[in-house]
Amino acid sequence: MLFRSATGHTGTMLSVSRAHTTTLTLNPSVAARRSSRPRPVLRARPNIPLAPTTSHRPQQQRQRAMMRSSTGELNPRRGRRLTASATADLEAGEPEPKLQPLEGRELLMRVLPCVLVASLGAFSFGYHLGIVNPALDYLARDLGIALNTQLKGLVVSTVLVGATVGSLYSGRIADGVGRRTALVGVAAPLFLGSVLCGFANNVWFMLLGRLLAGVGIGASSNLVPMYIAEVSPAQLRGTLGSLNQLMICVGILVAVVAGVPLVSDPNHWHNMFLFAAIPGLMQGVLMTVVPESPGWLRRQGKVAEAAAAETALWGAPDPSGGGDDKDDKDEKKVSTAELFAPANRKAVTIGTGLFFLQQMSGVNAVVYFSSAMFVAAGVQSAVAASVAVCATNVVATVLSGQALDRLGRKPLLTGSFIGMGISCLVISYAMANQATWALAGPVAVVAVMCYIASFGMGCGPIPGLLSSEIFNPRIRGAGMSLCFVTHWVFNFVIGQAFLPVVEAVGGPAVFVGFAGVCALSVLFVRATVVETKGKSLDVITKELAAAN
């Protein structure tokens, strides 16, 4: 290394080892010449990176990649809100952190509010079905039709006609404008129908209001489970899907309890119908602030909006990119021939078959006879009997929601139909021996409660849940419409034919027939129904396509 001696001469020291060094001294004249030479000035070479970095991107490109400001505006690329620190990282060229999907309770709490808002339609469904039972005699007297059995029957059945129309067209409308927009629109007939019924001063306004309300509940019966299935993650879809049936049961129970003041205030039926306008109005307002179905957005080619909806619901975009959803555009062009094509035959068979068997298994008959059975058992209050039946249904549906994602759909359906069939046989025996058997009344009441509990555990919630899971995304709207039309048509048919058949063959024989239907239902479930527990909608669609 270079050094300067004590005499001012410059020399070079070569390090030989730590203990020995050798010193070389240059000639003074040579050293003087070298020291007089000008020394070159070293200039720093610019640091040229080997590859371009994000900091060298054009300013316009960086602005598109990040949000428009640091105040929490939406990042169109990721569909989420960024903090000020994350924005600073983006401006500095740092990569945006990858979003992680939510899990467990945090995921449930993110999706649950959206499901509850949509389930307001299911609550209206149940409330409008249950309201006429306690209020019919009072409104018939005020409207001057107390002695007109035909018009009283129309007040009851008009809602079923409207429901058939609403369920027939709602699926195609949802395919065209979106699930969320369709549910916002459905709130209008629910609200207007309730107001017309509440202020009705003649039977024609009442019938018009019931018809409009029927259109709303028919559309809701289709759209609510469809929306819930498409916004729910696979591992929670059974639990969240059961909320549809739970809210229907709660709506019926609230309608029965709302009729209690009629005993002291016969004009209270006006208020009962006006109460029904509240959930309709809430649905119309709150559905505007929840995310749209991500699957529907992808099928419309709105990939960025779908990613934003998935992030809002699940914490991160779907890594699969929506599965088959991206390939199923032009849903509104689905024809009837395509709906019944061989590729969709199994899904149509399962969906319509379950709703047919649900109605033919005797649930309406059991509810109809429940009041008489409670009277035979010593319970004179019809309201108490109705509350007991509805409360049992609510509890059973809650338990079903806890078990659907653990046990699966098929085991619960099978057990449900077995329990219903056995209950029908016990009811038949009690009815046949009520004149000679002192315990016929109490046994019949226990059988009724067991039937309702069995229905709530499987046959009640699962047909609607399965119908929202089994159809190809392209035909899901039209397919679910067909399923719920089947529900409403046979609901109406059973309601009209039940009493004449009872008069012709007797109640015990009718309930034996219902038990036979339940036995056939068990065979149908075991042979035809597919298990959907824990599977994504994409996987279910592929399995059904392979089965066809």
Side-chain angles (χ1 to χ4, degrees):
M1 66 182 177
L2 296 178
F3 73 99
R4 188 175 297 273
S5 66
T7 58
H9 300 293
T10 302
T12 302
M13 176 181 291
L14 300 178
S15 177
V16 178
S17 67
R18 294 192 180 188
H20 301 87
T21 60
T22 302
T23 305
L24 300 178
T25 305
L26 297 178
N27 188 294
S29 61
V30 175
R33 286 198 303 270
R34 288 187 177 182
S35 61
S36 63
R37 292 177 184 176
R39 295 186 178 181
V41 179
L42 298 179
R43 300 182 182 276
R45 185 179 179 181
N47 183 20
I48 302 175
L50 297 177
T53 63
T54 54
S55 62
H56 290 83
R57 289 184 301 176
Q59 181 69 16
Q60 184 178 4
Q61 184 179 355
R62 293 206 310 274
Q63 288 177 348
R64 285 198 304 265
M66 65 182 185
M67 63 182 195
R68 294 183 293 273
S69 72
S70 60
T71 58
E73 294 185 5
L74 193 63
N75 181 346
R77 183 180 58 174
R78 292 289 186 182
R80 70 183 186 98
R81 297 184 182 278
L82 299 177
T83 62
S85 61
T87 303
D89 291 340
L90 279 176
E91 292 175 343
E94 296 294 332
E96 184 180 347
K98 185 177 180 180
L99 297 174
Q100 295 297 325
L102 300 176
E103 295 180 354
R105 182 176 178 82
E106 189 177 4
L107 177 60
L108 176 63
M109 291 298 101
R110 181 72 68 88
V111 181
L112 184 60
C114 304
V115 172
L116 291 177
V117 170
S119 297
L120 288 170
F123 178 88
S124 296
F125 175 172
Y127 190 88
H128 279 285
L129 287 183
I131 193 174
V132 73
N133 186 31
L136 181 61
D137 290 338
Y138 297 94
L139 68 86
R141 186 196 61 190
D142 289 350
L143 300 180
I145 59 171
L147 302 178
N148 192 326
T149 305
Q150 185 177 7
L151 285 178
K152 288 172 67 176
L154 281 176
V155 171
V156 176
S157 59
T158 299
V159 72
L160 301 180
V161 176
T164 302
V165 175
S167 60
L168 180 62
Y169 293 102
S170 58
R172 296 182 185 273
I173 293 173
D175 286 343
V177 303
R179 284 42 168 154
R180 180 180 65 178
T181 304
L183 280 167
V184 172
V186 163
L190 288 172
F191 177 80
L192 293 175
S194 302
V195 172
L196 280 175
C197 291
F199 288 107
N201 55 10
N202 60 65
V203 68
W204 306 113
F205 273 103
M206 174 60 68
L207 292 177
L208 178 59
R210 291 285 285 171
L211 182 65
L212 284 174
V215 171
I217 68 173
S220 295
S221 69
N222 185 358
L223 298 174
V224 172
M226 183 189 304
Y227 177 82
I228 293 176
E230 294 185 358
V231 302
S232 300
Q235 66 270 30
L236 295 175
R237 198 170 55 245
T239 300
L240 294 174
S242 68
L243 290 178
N244 175 55
Q245 180 67 19
L246 176 62
M247 293 299 285
I248 294 174
C249 299
V250 170
I252 296 173
L253 177 60
V254 171
V256 171
V257 174
V260 172
L262 284 169
V263 177
S264 57
D265 182 10
N267 292 320
H268 178 67
W269 66 267
H270 292 279
N271 297 327
M272 293 174 65
F273 282 101
L274 291 176
F275 290 159
I278 298 175
L281 180 61
M282 291 176 62
Q283 177 182 332
V285 173
L286 296 179
M287 278 304 300
T288 61
V289 299
V290 300
E292 176 60 273
S293 160
W296 181 84
L297 289 170
R298 287 191 184 276
R299 293 191 292 276
Q300 305 305 308
K302 302 177 180 180
V303 179
E305 294 182 32
E310 289 164 350
T311 302
L313 290 165
W314 310 324
D318 185 359
S320 67
D324 285 347
D325 287 345
K326 56 189 175 183
D327 301 323
D328 293 309
K329 298 180 181 180
D330 299 326
E331 293 169 309
K332 56 187 177 182
K333 297 180 181 179
V334 175
S335 64
T336 303
E338 182 178 357
L339 180 61
F340 290 97
N344 302 317
R345 187 173 299 157
K346 188 173 182 64
V348 170
T349 301
I350 294 172
T352 57
L354 284 178
F355 275 113
F356 170 77
L357 294 171
Q358 180 195 64
Q359 295 302 309
M360 295 298 294
S361 61
V363 60
N364 293 323
V366 171
V367 173
Y368 180 84
F369 274 111
S370 62
S371 297
M373 294 176 187
F374 273 86
V375 170
V379 180
Q380 300 298 324
S381 173
V383 173
S386 297
V387 169
V389 169
C390 293
T392 301
N393 200 1
V394 169
V395 173
T397 304
V398 171
L399 295 177
S400 174
Q402 300 298 315
L404 275 168
D405 286 321
R406 298 178 182 177
L407 302 179
R409 283 59 159 163
K410 288 187 70 171
L412 286 176
L413 266 178
T414 302
S416 175
F417 280 118
I418 291 174
M420 291 161 61
I422 294 174
S423 299
C424 284
L425 291 176
V426 174
I427 292 172
S428 175
Y429 183 81
M431 292 178 70
N433 296 277
Q434 59 181 340
T436 58
W437 189 25
L439 296 178
V443 169
V445 168
V446 173
V448 166
M449 304 304 283
C450 290
Y451 180 98
I452 295 298
S454 299
F455 178 85
M457 285 294 296
C459 187
I462 293 180
L465 173 62
L466 273 176
S467 68
S468 66
E469 296 177 317
I470 58 179
F471 285 103
N472 183 292
R474 173 173 166 78
I475 66 164
R476 186 170 293 141
M480 291 187 66
S481 289
L482 178 63
C483 292
F484 281 96
V485 165
T486 303
H487 169 272
W488 291 113
V489 167
F490 283 99
N491 188 309
F492 180 80
V493 169
I494 294 298
Q496 298 299 311
F498 173 66
L499 288 180
V501 172
V502 170
E503 292 177 358
V505 301
V510 169
F511 278 93
V512 170
F514 289 145
V517 172
C518 290
L520 292 175
S521 301
V522 172
L523 299 178
F524 177 83
V525 170
R526 294 178 66 87
T528 308
V529 174
V530 296
E531 182 56 70
T532 60
K533 179 189 72 171
K535 300 176 183 177
S536 67
L537 298 179
D538 181 30
V539 170
I540 296 169
T541 299
K542 291 178 179 178
E543 289 183 354
L544 283 171
N548 288 323

mmCIF file of all heavy atoms in Angstrom, residues 372-416:
data_model
loop_
_atom_site.group_PDB
_atom_site.id
_atom_site.type_symbol
_atom_site.label_atom_id
_atom_site.label_comp_id
_atom_site.label_asym_id
_atom_site.label_seq_id
_atom_site.Cartn_x
_atom_site.Cartn_y
_atom_site.Cartn_z
ATOM 1 N N ALA A 372 -107.895 -28.852 15.039
ATOM 2 C CA ALA A 372 -108.886 -29.816 15.521
ATOM 3 C C ALA A 372 -108.252 -30.843 16.448
ATOM 4 O O ALA A 372 -108.863 -31.266 17.446
ATOM 5 C CB ALA A 372 -109.545 -30.520 14.327
ATOM 6 N N MET A 373 -107.033 -31.261 16.157
ATOM 7 C CA MET A 373 -106.359 -32.238 17.007
ATOM 8 C C MET A 373 -106.001 -31.642 18.360
ATOM 9 O O MET A 373 -106.071 -32.318 19.393
ATOM 10 C CB MET A 373 -105.108 -32.756 16.293
ATOM 11 C CG MET A 373 -105.413 -33.558 15.037
ATOM 12 S SD MET A 373 -103.923 -34.054 14.149
ATOM 13 C CE MET A 373 -104.632 -34.750 12.656
ATOM 14 N N PHE A 374 -105.625 -30.374 18.364
ATOM 15 C CA PHE A 374 -105.336 -29.717 19.638
ATOM 16 C C PHE A 374 -106.610 -29.580 20.474
ATOM 17 O O PHE A 374 -106.573 -29.723 21.702
ATOM 18 C CB PHE A 374 -104.707 -28.348 19.389
ATOM 19 C CG PHE A 374 -103.215 -28.387 19.231
ATOM 20 C CD1 PHE A 374 -102.641 -28.645 18.003
ATOM 21 C CD2 PHE A 374 -102.382 -28.174 20.320
ATOM 22 C CE1 PHE A 374 -101.271 -28.693 17.849
ATOM 23 C CE2 PHE A 374 -101.000 -28.212 20.180
ATOM 24 C CZ PHE A 374 -100.434 -28.480 18.939
ATOM 25 N N VAL A 375 -107.720 -29.296 19.828
ATOM 26 C CA VAL A 375 -108.990 -29.211 20.555
ATOM 27 C C VAL A 375 -109.348 -30.561 21.166
ATOM 28 O O VAL A 375 -109.787 -30.657 22.324
ATOM 29 C CB VAL A 375 -110.112 -28.726 19.612
ATOM 30 C CG1 VAL A 375 -111.478 -28.860 20.287
ATOM 31 C CG2 VAL A 375 -109.871 -27.280 19.205
ATOM 32 N N ALA A 376 -109.134 -31.642 20.383
ATOM 33 C CA ALA A 376 -109.418 -32.981 20.898
ATOM 34 C C ALA A 376 -108.526 -33.333 22.078
ATOM 35 O O ALA A 376 -108.896 -34.137 22.943
ATOM 36 C CB ALA A 376 -109.236 -34.017 19.780
ATOM 37 N N ALA A 377 -107.342 -32.726 22.112
ATOM 38 C CA ALA A 377 -106.411 -32.978 23.216
ATOM 39 C C ALA A 377 -106.660 -32.053 24.396
ATOM 40 O O ALA A 377 -105.933 -32.123 25.392
ATOM 41 C CB ALA A 377 -104.979 -32.818 22.736
ATOM 42 N N GLY A 378 -107.657 -31.162 24.293
ATOM 43 C CA GLY A 378 -107.993 -30.282 25.398
ATOM 44 C C GLY A 378 -107.461 -28.874 25.269
ATOM 45 O O GLY A 378 -107.655 -28.056 26.173
ATOM 46 N N VAL A 379 -106.799 -28.549 24.160
ATOM 47 C CA VAL A 379 -106.300 -27.189 23.938
ATOM 48 C C VAL A 379 -107.343 -26.443 23.111
ATOM 49 O O VAL A 379 -107.509 -26.706 21.922
ATOM 50 C CB VAL A 379 -104.936 -27.204 23.213
ATOM 51 C CG1 VAL A 379 -104.447 -25.780 22.985
ATOM 52 C CG2 VAL A 379 -103.918 -28.007 24.013
ATOM 53 N N GLN A 380 -108.072 -25.526 23.722
ATOM 54 C CA GLN A 380 -109.185 -24.864 23.056
ATOM 55 C C GLN A 380 -108.757 -23.656 22.230
ATOM 56 O O GLN A 380 -109.492 -23.213 21.348
ATOM 57 C CB GLN A 380 -110.214 -24.403 24.107
ATOM 58 C CG GLN A 380 -110.785 -25.545 24.929
ATOM 59 C CD GLN A 380 -111.540 -26.553 24.069
ATOM 60 O OE1 GLN A 380 -112.210 -26.190 23.102
ATOM 61 N NE2 GLN A 380 -111.425 -27.825 24.416
ATOM 62 N N SER A 381 -107.586 -23.106 22.490
ATOM 63 C CA SER A 381 -107.138 -21.899 21.794
ATOM 64 C C SER A 381 -106.487 -22.259 20.458
ATOM 65 O O SER A 381 -105.448 -22.940 20.414
ATOM 66 C CB SER A 381 -106.130 -21.132 22.659
ATOM 67 O OG SER A 381 -105.577 -20.056 21.921
ATOM 68 N N ALA A 382 -107.111 -21.800 19.370
ATOM 69 C CA ALA A 382 -106.550 -22.053 18.046
ATOM 70 C C ALA A 382 -105.225 -21.308 17.868
ATOM 71 O O ALA A 382 -104.313 -21.797 17.189
ATOM 72 C CB ALA A 382 -107.550 -21.625 16.973
ATOM 73 N N VAL A 383 -105.128 -20.126 18.481
ATOM 74 C CA VAL A 383 -103.889 -19.360 18.377
ATOM 75 C C VAL A 383 -102.744 -20.105 19.060
ATOM 76 O O VAL A 383 -101.626 -20.197 18.521
ATOM 77 C CB VAL A 383 -104.068 -17.962 18.998
ATOM 78 C CG1 VAL A 383 -102.733 -17.225 19.039
ATOM 79 C CG2 VAL A 383 -105.089 -17.167 18.207
ATOM 80 N N ALA A 384 -103.016 -20.688 20.231
ATOM 81 C CA ALA A 384 -101.989 -21.449 20.940
ATOM 82 C C ALA A 384 -101.528 -22.640 20.112
ATOM 83 O O ALA A 384 -100.332 -22.950 20.050
ATOM 84 C CB ALA A 384 -102.513 -21.913 22.294
ATOM 85 N N ALA A 385 -102.468 -23.310 19.459
ATOM 86 C CA ALA A 385 -102.114 -24.446 18.615
ATOM 87 C C ALA A 385 -101.241 -24.003 17.450
ATOM 88 O O ALA A 385 -100.235 -24.644 17.118
ATOM 89 C CB ALA A 385 -103.385 -25.128 18.107
ATOM 90 N N SER A 386 -101.615 -22.903 16.801
ATOM 91 C CA SER A 386 -100.845 -22.409 15.656
ATOM 92 C C SER A 386 -99.449 -21.971 16.076
ATOM 93 O O SER A 386 -98.465 -22.238 15.378
ATOM 94 C CB SER A 386 -101.585 -21.237 14.993
ATOM 95 O OG SER A 386 -102.832 -21.651 14.483
ATOM 96 N N VAL A 387 -99.344 -21.300 17.229
ATOM 97 C CA VAL A 387 -98.040 -20.857 17.718
ATOM 98 C C VAL A 387 -97.154 -22.060 18.020
ATOM 99 O O VAL A 387 -95.948 -22.063 17.708
ATOM 100 C CB VAL A 387 -98.205 -19.968 18.963
ATOM 101 C CG1 VAL A 387 -96.856 -19.732 19.635
ATOM 102 C CG2 VAL A 387 -98.837 -18.645 18.583
ATOM 103 N N ALA A 388 -97.727 -23.100 18.613
ATOM 104 C CA ALA A 388 -96.948 -24.294 18.936
ATOM 105 C C ALA A 388 -96.401 -24.947 17.665
ATOM 106 O O ALA A 388 -95.234 -25.362 17.615
ATOM 107 C CB ALA A 388 -97.800 -25.285 19.722
ATOM 108 N N VAL A 389 -97.242 -25.060 16.638
ATOM 109 C CA VAL A 389 -96.809 -25.665 15.380
ATOM 110 C C VAL A 389 -95.715 -24.826 14.723
ATOM 111 O O VAL A 389 -94.683 -25.352 14.274
ATOM 112 C CB VAL A 389 -98.013 -25.842 14.436
ATOM 113 C CG1 VAL A 389 -97.551 -26.228 13.030
ATOM 114 C CG2 VAL A 389 -98.967 -26.892 14.980
ATOM 115 N N CYS A 390 -95.922 -23.513 14.653
ATOM 116 C CA CYS A 390 -94.942 -22.633 14.000
ATOM 117 C C CYS A 390 -93.628 -22.590 14.767
ATOM 118 O O CYS A 390 -92.548 -22.597 14.165
ATOM 119 C CB CYS A 390 -95.514 -21.223 13.870
ATOM 120 S SG CYS A 390 -96.921 -21.101 12.742
ATOM 121 N N ALA A 391 -93.703 -22.557 16.098
ATOM 122 C CA ALA A 391 -92.484 -22.518 16.896
ATOM 123 C C ALA A 391 -91.684 -23.805 16.726
ATOM 124 O O ALA A 391 -90.445 -23.776 16.653
ATOM 125 C CB ALA A 391 -92.825 -22.299 18.368
ATOM 126 N N THR A 392 -92.372 -24.938 16.651
ATOM 127 C CA THR A 392 -91.681 -26.209 16.420
ATOM 128 C C THR A 392 -90.964 -26.199 15.072
ATOM 129 O O THR A 392 -89.822 -26.671 14.946
ATOM 130 C CB THR A 392 -92.681 -27.368 16.459
ATOM 131 O OG1 THR A 392 -93.329 -27.387 17.729
ATOM 132 C CG2 THR A 392 -91.990 -28.702 16.225
ATOM 133 N N ASN A 393 -91.616 -25.653 14.069
ATOM 134 C CA ASN A 393 -91.005 -25.555 12.743
ATOM 135 C C ASN A 393 -89.753 -24.677 12.771
ATOM 136 O O ASN A 393 -88.734 -24.988 12.148
ATOM 137 C CB ASN A 393 -92.026 -25.004 11.756
ATOM 138 C CG ASN A 393 -91.676 -25.313 10.312
ATOM 139 O OD1 ASN A 393 -90.670 -25.964 10.022
ATOM 140 N ND2 ASN A 393 -92.497 -24.858 9.393
ATOM 141 N N VAL A 394 -89.822 -23.568 13.495
ATOM 142 C CA VAL A 394 -88.678 -22.662 13.596
ATOM 143 C C VAL A 394 -87.492 -23.361 14.265
ATOM 144 O O VAL A 394 -86.352 -23.307 13.775
ATOM 145 C CB VAL A 394 -89.063 -21.392 14.382
ATOM 146 C CG1 VAL A 394 -87.814 -20.574 14.732
ATOM 147 C CG2 VAL A 394 -90.030 -20.542 13.584
ATOM 148 N N VAL A 395 -87.743 -24.040 15.392
ATOM 149 C CA VAL A 395 -86.662 -24.714 16.116
ATOM 150 C C VAL A 395 -86.035 -25.806 15.251
ATOM 151 O O VAL A 395 -84.806 -25.938 15.167
ATOM 152 C CB VAL A 395 -87.191 -25.307 17.438
ATOM 153 C CG1 VAL A 395 -86.119 -26.165 18.104
ATOM 154 C CG2 VAL A 395 -87.629 -24.197 18.384
ATOM 155 N N ALA A 396 -86.871 -26.586 14.573
ATOM 156 C CA ALA A 396 -86.345 -27.657 13.725
ATOM 157 C C ALA A 396 -85.520 -27.101 12.568
ATOM 158 O O ALA A 396 -84.491 -27.675 12.190
ATOM 159 C CB ALA A 396 -87.499 -28.499 13.181
ATOM 160 N N THR A 397 -85.941 -25.981 12.006
ATOM 161 C CA THR A 397 -85.194 -25.379 10.899
ATOM 162 C C THR A 397 -83.849 -24.846 11.381
ATOM 163 O O THR A 397 -82.843 -24.932 10.667
ATOM 164 C CB THR A 397 -86.018 -24.241 10.258
ATOM 165 O OG1 THR A 397 -87.295 -24.754 9.850
ATOM 166 C CG2 THR A 397 -85.308 -23.681 9.041
ATOM 167 N N VAL A 398 -83.804 -24.293 12.589
ATOM 168 C CA VAL A 398 -82.523 -23.840 13.162
ATOM 169 C C VAL A 398 -81.574 -25.021 13.313
ATOM 170 O O VAL A 398 -80.388 -24.946 12.955
ATOM 171 C CB VAL A 398 -82.757 -23.140 14.512
ATOM 172 C CG1 VAL A 398 -81.427 -22.876 15.207
ATOM 173 C CG2 VAL A 398 -83.512 -21.835 14.311
ATOM 174 N N LEU A 399 -82.073 -26.125 13.837
ATOM 175 C CA LEU A 399 -81.236 -27.319 14.000
ATOM 176 C C LEU A 399 -80.779 -27.850 12.643
ATOM 177 O O LEU A 399 -79.635 -28.309 12.496
ATOM 178 C CB LEU A 399 -82.015 -28.397 14.756
ATOM 179 C CG LEU A 399 -82.390 -28.057 16.201
ATOM 180 C CD1 LEU A 399 -83.228 -29.176 16.813
ATOM 181 C CD2 LEU A 399 -81.149 -27.815 17.043
ATOM 182 N N SER A 400 -81.655 -27.791 11.662
ATOM 183 C CA SER A 400 -81.280 -28.231 10.320
ATOM 184 C C SER A 400 -80.142 -27.389 9.763
ATOM 185 O O SER A 400 -79.205 -27.917 9.143
ATOM 186 C CB SER A 400 -82.499 -28.148 9.390
ATOM 187 O OG SER A 400 -82.141 -28.426 8.056
ATOM 188 N N GLY A 401 -80.207 -26.081 9.992
ATOM 189 C CA GLY A 401 -79.146 -25.207 9.513
ATOM 190 C C GLY A 401 -77.789 -25.547 10.110
ATOM 191 O O GLY A 401 -76.753 -25.420 9.448
ATOM 192 N N GLN A 402 -77.777 -26.025 11.362
ATOM 193 C CA GLN A 402 -76.531 -26.409 11.995
ATOM 194 C C GLN A 402 -75.997 -27.733 11.454
ATOM 195 O O GLN A 402 -74.784 -27.985 11.494
ATOM 196 C CB GLN A 402 -76.738 -26.535 13.516
ATOM 197 C CG GLN A 402 -77.198 -25.262 14.190
ATOM 198 C CD GLN A 402 -76.187 -24.139 14.056
ATOM 199 O OE1 GLN A 402 -74.997 -24.334 14.251
ATOM 200 N NE2 GLN A 402 -76.665 -22.956 13.715
ATOM 201 N N ALA A 403 -76.898 -28.582 10.928
ATOM 202 C CA ALA A 403 -76.496 -29.929 10.514
ATOM 203 C C ALA A 403 -76.256 -30.068 9.017
ATOM 204 O O ALA A 403 -75.611 -31.029 8.591
ATOM 205 C CB ALA A 403 -77.573 -30.930 10.937
ATOM 206 N N LEU A 404 -76.743 -29.138 8.212
ATOM 207 C CA LEU A 404 -76.674 -29.307 6.759
ATOM 208 C C LEU A 404 -75.240 -29.412 6.257
ATOM 209 O O LEU A 404 -74.957 -30.228 5.352
ATOM 210 C CB LEU A 404 -77.386 -28.136 6.074
ATOM 211 C CG LEU A 404 -78.902 -28.286 5.902
ATOM 212 C CD1 LEU A 404 -79.526 -26.973 5.484
ATOM 213 C CD2 LEU A 404 -79.206 -29.355 4.875
ATOM 214 N N ASP A 405 -74.342 -28.600 6.783
ATOM 215 C CA ASP A 405 -72.954 -28.626 6.317
ATOM 216 C C ASP A 405 -72.105 -29.645 7.068
ATOM 217 O O ASP A 405 -70.910 -29.765 6.799
ATOM 218 C CB ASP A 405 -72.330 -27.232 6.451
ATOM 219 C CG ASP A 405 -72.858 -26.269 5.392
ATOM 220 O OD1 ASP A 405 -73.047 -26.703 4.248
ATOM 221 O OD2 ASP A 405 -73.097 -25.097 5.729
ATOM 222 N N ARG A 406 -72.720 -30.389 7.980
ATOM 223 C CA ARG A 406 -71.999 -31.444 8.698
ATOM 224 C C ARG A 406 -72.451 -32.827 8.233
ATOM 225 O O ARG A 406 -71.630 -33.693 7.937
ATOM 226 C CB ARG A 406 -72.220 -31.306 10.211
ATOM 227 C CG ARG A 406 -71.699 -30.001 10.791
ATOM 228 C CD ARG A 406 -71.988 -29.904 12.281
ATOM 229 N NE ARG A 406 -71.538 -28.633 12.842
ATOM 230 C CZ ARG A 406 -71.721 -28.255 14.097
ATOM 231 N NH1 ARG A 406 -72.341 -29.076 14.941
ATOM 232 N NH2 ARG A 406 -71.299 -27.075 14.518
ATOM 233 N N LEU A 407 -73.766 -33.030 8.184
ATOM 234 C CA LEU A 407 -74.299 -34.343 7.814
ATOM 235 C C LEU A 407 -74.576 -34.466 6.321
ATOM 236 O O LEU A 407 -74.550 -35.568 5.775
ATOM 237 C CB LEU A 407 -75.580 -34.626 8.604
ATOM 238 C CG LEU A 407 -75.453 -34.598 10.129
ATOM 239 C CD1 LEU A 407 -76.803 -34.859 10.780
ATOM 240 C CD2 LEU A 407 -74.416 -35.606 10.598
ATOM 241 N N GLY A 408 -74.896 -33.348 5.672
ATOM 242 C CA GLY A 408 -75.204 -33.401 4.246
ATOM 243 C C GLY A 408 -76.695 -33.307 3.978
ATOM 244 O O GLY A 408 -77.532 -33.439 4.882
ATOM 245 N N ARG A 409 -77.035 -33.135 2.695
ATOM 246 C CA ARG A 409 -78.435 -32.959 2.297
ATOM 247 C C ARG A 409 -79.194 -34.287 2.272
ATOM 248 O O ARG A 409 -80.314 -34.394 2.764
ATOM 249 C CB ARG A 409 -78.517 -32.320 0.918
ATOM 250 C CG ARG A 409 -78.266 -30.822 0.838
ATOM 251 C CD ARG A 409 -76.930 -30.383 1.328
ATOM 252 N NE ARG A 409 -76.510 -29.087 0.817
ATOM 253 C CZ ARG A 409 -75.540 -28.376 1.346
ATOM 254 N NH1 ARG A 409 -74.895 -28.809 2.420
ATOM 255 N NH2 ARG A 409 -75.191 -27.224 0.806
ATOM 256 N N LYS A 410 -78.593 -35.328 1.679
ATOM 257 C CA LYS A 410 -79.304 -36.601 1.505
ATOM 258 C C LYS A 410 -79.666 -37.272 2.828
ATOM 259 O O LYS A 410 -80.809 -37.730 2.987
ATOM 260 C CB LYS A 410 -78.470 -37.541 0.633
ATOM 261 C CG LYS A 410 -78.419 -37.141 -0.833
ATOM 262 C CD LYS A 410 -77.718 -38.184 -1.682
ATOM 263 C CE LYS A 410 -78.535 -39.453 -1.804
ATOM 264 N NZ LYS A 410 -77.954 -40.388 -2.791
ATOM 265 N N PRO A 411 -78.762 -37.365 3.804
ATOM 266 C CA PRO A 411 -79.160 -37.993 5.076
ATOM 267 C C PRO A 411 -80.306 -37.257 5.770
ATOM 268 O O PRO A 411 -81.212 -37.898 6.322
ATOM 269 C CB PRO A 411 -77.875 -37.944 5.905
ATOM 270 C CG PRO A 411 -76.769 -37.873 4.912
ATOM 271 C CD PRO A 411 -77.310 -37.055 3.788
ATOM 272 N N LEU A 412 -80.262 -35.926 5.749
ATOM 273 C CA LEU A 412 -81.337 -35.172 6.402
ATOM 274 C C LEU A 412 -82.660 -35.339 5.660
ATOM 275 O O LEU A 412 -83.725 -35.449 6.288
ATOM 276 C CB LEU A 412 -80.958 -33.690 6.481
ATOM 277 C CG LEU A 412 -79.896 -33.330 7.525
ATOM 278 C CD1 LEU A 412 -79.541 -31.852 7.448
ATOM 279 C CD2 LEU A 412 -80.376 -33.666 8.934
ATOM 280 N N LEU A 413 -82.619 -35.345 4.324
ATOM 281 C CA LEU A 413 -83.845 -35.567 3.554
ATOM 282 C C LEU A 413 -84.427 -36.949 3.837
ATOM 283 O O LEU A 413 -85.643 -37.109 4.030
ATOM 284 C CB LEU A 413 -83.569 -35.419 2.058
ATOM 285 C CG LEU A 413 -83.824 -34.063 1.415
ATOM 286 C CD1 LEU A 413 -83.446 -34.105 -0.062
ATOM 287 C CD2 LEU A 413 -85.279 -33.644 1.570
ATOM 288 N N THR A 414 -83.574 -37.954 3.841
ATOM 289 C CA THR A 414 -84.047 -39.317 4.091
ATOM 290 C C THR A 414 -84.678 -39.436 5.468
ATOM 291 O O THR A 414 -85.798 -39.955 5.622
ATOM 292 C CB THR A 414 -82.874 -40.309 3.961
ATOM 293 O OG1 THR A 414 -82.300 -40.203 2.658
ATOM 294 C CG2 THR A 414 -83.346 -41.729 4.182
ATOM 295 N N GLY A 415 -83.978 -38.950 6.482
ATOM 296 C CA GLY A 415 -84.534 -38.995 7.832
ATOM 297 C C GLY A 415 -85.809 -38.184 7.967
ATOM 298 O O GLY A 415 -86.732 -38.577 8.701
ATOM 299 N N SER A 416 -85.881 -37.072 7.254
ATOM 300 C CA SER A 416 -87.068 -36.222 7.308
ATOM 301 C C SER A 416 -88.299 -36.957 6.782
ATOM 302 O O SER A 416 -89.351 -36.984 7.433
ATOM 303 C CB SER A 416 -86.825 -34.944 6.506
ATOM 304 O OG SER A 416 -87.984 -34.144 6.448
#
